[in-house]
Amino acid sequence: MSGNLSLHRGNILDVACDAIVNAANSALMGGGGVDGAIHRAAGPRLKEACRPLAPCPTGEVRVTPGFQLGDRLVFHTVGPVWRGGGEGEPALLEACYRNCLDELVRRELVSIAFPAISTGVYGYPPQSAAAVAVTICRAFVERHEVDITLAAFDQINYDAIATALSAPG
Ligand code: APR
């Protein structure tokens, strides 16, 4: 059994999938970056749906409908703030990816799109973040028939993910 792992250049909102992952903060009340884009596109009901689910600890996931995003659910996860790498950031970033993927399968859904969690405001180096994302997702598609898209909004993250994907697994 095996799934598929691919790279999308551009806006995560353009990816057709069952679950869009949001790089949120623990308050789940929206913000800038991909969080802001998802909240704007989903409409104000998203914030109301998030309210009772907060706070979301780093590494965990909370699920809401996508409202104006159509049938797509939103998986809100909170990436680690980069503090130099010695404060458990890699394990927390791994947990974000793993918990979202486990949630996808638990709900019997088959496709998911991730942004480059933590690589914006939270300052995680793109190359290190890409290595985590690709390692976790690659291992997952070897065991599950799911379709995972890694969405890279900027050239630096695109190049980092493409390089990680081309490295032997
Ligand atoms: N589609 C895909 N990727 C996007 C989009 C988009 N529409 N908009 C931004 N990105 C990318 C950024 O280029 C970056 O590589 O998402 C990545 C993650 O950046 P942030 O959105 O800043 O997320 P993060 O670093 O995890 O910081 C989370 O930022 O906006 C706040 O509320 C959010 O406090 C939280 C923090």
Side-chain angles (χ1 to χ4, degrees):
M1 186 158 79
S2 75
N4 184 54
L5 175 59
S6 59
L7 173 56
H8 168 83
R9 171 72 202 262
N11 196 332
I12 195 168
L13 295 168
D14 295 337
V15 180
C17 56
D18 297 324
I20 290 189
V21 176
N22 183 19
N25 58 59
S26 65
L28 301 180
M29 287 295 101
V34 71
D35 195 7
I38 288 172
H39 273 266
R40 277 193 299 278
R45 283 180 295 165
L46 183 60
K47 200 167 170 180
E48 293 318 309
C50 284
R51 203 181 295 281
L53 306 180
C56 179
T58 304
E60 293 192 14
V61 60
R62 300 285 186 267
V63 179
T64 66
F67 300 103
Q68 289 163 209
L69 295 175
D71 290 338
R72 293 174 288 182
L73 296 178
V74 180
F75 285 11
H76 307 261
T77 190
V78 180
V81 175
W82 180 258
R83 294 196 173 89
E87 299 198 24
E89 295 94 329
L92 288 167
L93 190 60
E94 284 176 25
C96 290
Y97 284 93
R98 204 173 279 127
N99 285 328
C100 287
L101 291 168
D102 287 346
E103 189 68 35
L104 186 78
V105 169
R106 193 153 44 235
R107 288 170 180 264
E108 299 184 347
L109 300 173
V110 296
S111 57
I112 187 167
F114 286 97
I117 300 165
S118 283
T119 65
V121 173
Y122 283 179
Y124 209 110
Q127 284 80 3
S128 310
V132 168
V134 168
T135 301
I136 300 299
C137 293
R138 198 179 248 162
F140 203 83
V141 295
E142 278 170 17
R143 291 180 288 113
H144 301 273
E145 226 167 311
V146 295
D147 201 338
I148 304 176
T149 302
L150 301 176
F153 201 54
D154 55 83
Q155 191 67 41
I156 291 175
N157 276 288
Y158 184 87
D159 291 344
I161 296 167
T163 301
L165 284 170
S166 64

